[in-house]
Amino acid sequence: MNKWEELDKKYIWHPFTQMKGWLENPQLVIDHGEGVKLYDTEGKEYLDAISSLWVNIHGHRRKEINEAIIAELNKVEHSTLLGLINEPSAELAEKLVEVTPDGLNKVFYSDDGSTAVEAAIKIAFQYWNYAGHPEKKDFINLGDSYHGDTVGAVSVGNVEVFHKAYKPLLFSTHRVSCPSFYHTRMDVHSEKEFLDALLKELEAYLKEHASHTAAMIIEPLCQCAAGMLMQPKGYIKGVRDLTKKYNVLLIVDEVAVGFGRTGLMFACNHENVLPDMMCLSKGISAGYLPLGATLVTDEIYNAFLGEPTEYKTFYHGHSYTGNNLACAAGLASLRIFKEDDVIAGLPPKMEMIRQHFNRINEMEYVGEARQCGMLGGIELMRDKANRIPFDPGLLMAGGICQNARKYGLIIRNIGDVIVFMPPLCSTPAEMDEMLSRLTKSMEEIFDRVRKQDVNSFSDPCAF
């Protein structure tokens, strides 16, 4: 055990980690990164197939972003937005309005995805009060939804393993069916039937309850932290049409799926959806510094305008709101998107994923390998024909991810779903190597299962 691991185990409590297992097992200490690679303190190289938990877009130590941060650091490290303006936050707000769907003209900054969602929830609630409809205070969310870890964000989420401990703290919401065809228990036989059933369910609820519903929140196209659950084509457009018809705000959480992850700049772009609010984080600063943003329409923003004695102010904020360095990184990232024509360069990379996933889908213990643009999930099943999962105590996917490290691959799981989300800058050759190494690890673990040579593939930091 080196000095850094010793200090870590002595003092640090890791997120989403069973610390007992963490303390009992040797752990990887990252020293530096370059492009899509990370290097440990022993000098071993690893391909970063999860973008350092879905945040890295253009690679580690990207020169243009480094220089932008250094240039801003040489001016000022942070200047509050409470009563002051700073240049990079103002310019980034302009650029975010330019690249996001039409109508989202105002930007409220925060620190991360959870706080971006928390702001959206409070804005929606407060908006209806100011619009003369205080009775509109309820929220609709999707089954198996995840929107962050603050109390409001957890209230509009319902991934049981993450949220069950906090139920006594939460406000209630209405949950509609999870829009994953692979997992549905509805009596439907095609994605078209499934889509129709989902939208009929939502409309039936809205007909009766829209008068007291403030907003519906969705993670469009793919529910990432739920296990990379994909939605049928036309779903987000149908949700937008119904929420608009029944005068309910639509909040889209593009924290994980935004900034090119689905193949277009934002998931909403695939179906020309114009939401009332959009939550952004993760890729907004290309993985450099914490930053979140909640974009809203002029109609929502204008409802908060008034005289000081009316107390219509949005009483919410963070010490590092609109941080100069984070916003400078965000500006540099958007310049790279434009100058490198990043979105136009994604199709051959997405095709590389598709080809590998087609082969992975044929593997004995793979229930479904599913893809949406540059992100994907590989769900394991003990019996794929009957969709019988492995005993959760085996930690199958976590074991595969841990085993992959000996092949120089960093990848993670959510339950028995292996998540693949490489940096957008990855070349097709680099992605081919990532997926080849992953397949090798899967084959090795699957072979042990066939031989019954398994008690548990322990992974102390498995979700």
Side-chain angles (χ1 to χ4, degrees), residues 378 380 392 394-405 411-419 441 445 456-463:
I378 301 166
L380 308 182
L394 289 178
L395 300 172
M396 277 292 297
I400 288 169
C401 294
Q402 286 292 103
N403 189 60
R405 292 186 179 182
I411 196 161
R412 283 195 57 78
N413 63 295
I414 300 171
D416 262 350
V417 178
I418 299 167
V419 176
S441 181
I445 298 299
S456 172
F457 298 106
S458 179
D459 179 6
C461 53
F463 285 167

Side-chain angles (χ1 to χ4, degrees), residues 85-111:
I85 295 168
N86 72 62
E87 295 174 14
S89 69
E91 187 177 353
L92 179 59
E94 177 191 36
K95 299 303 180 185
L96 288 173
V97 168
E98 289 176 359
V99 299
T100 51
D102 290 346
L104 299 172
N105 295 326
K106 295 295 187 291
V107 178
F108 185 88
Y109 286 116
S110 57
D111 298 343

Side-chain angles (χ1 to χ4, degrees), residues 47-79:
L47 290 167
D48 184 0
I50 53 160
S51 301
S52 292
L53 206 58
W54 314 353
V55 298
N56 192 283
I57 296 286
H58 307 299
H60 298 283
R61 290 204 298 159
R62 181 72 183 235
K63 179 182 177 183
E64 299 94 320
I65 303 176
N66 289 0
E67 290 176 347
I69 293 172
I70 292 168
E72 185 61 27
L73 185 60
N74 284 329
K75 294 172 67 177
V76 63
E77 75 297 334
H78 177 64
S79 173

Side-chain angles (χ1 to χ4, degrees), residues 363-395:
M363 299 178 77
E364 181 178 358
Y365 298 116
V366 173
E368 184 183 53
R370 43 187 178 263
Q371 174 193 7
C372 178
M374 287 290 289
L375 50 84
I378 301 166
E379 185 159 358
L380 308 182
M381 288 285 167
R382 178 75 187 193
D383 180 344
K384 67 187 296 177
N386 296 300
R387 298 190 186 180
I388 299 173
F390 283 96
D391 180 344
L394 289 178
L395 300 172

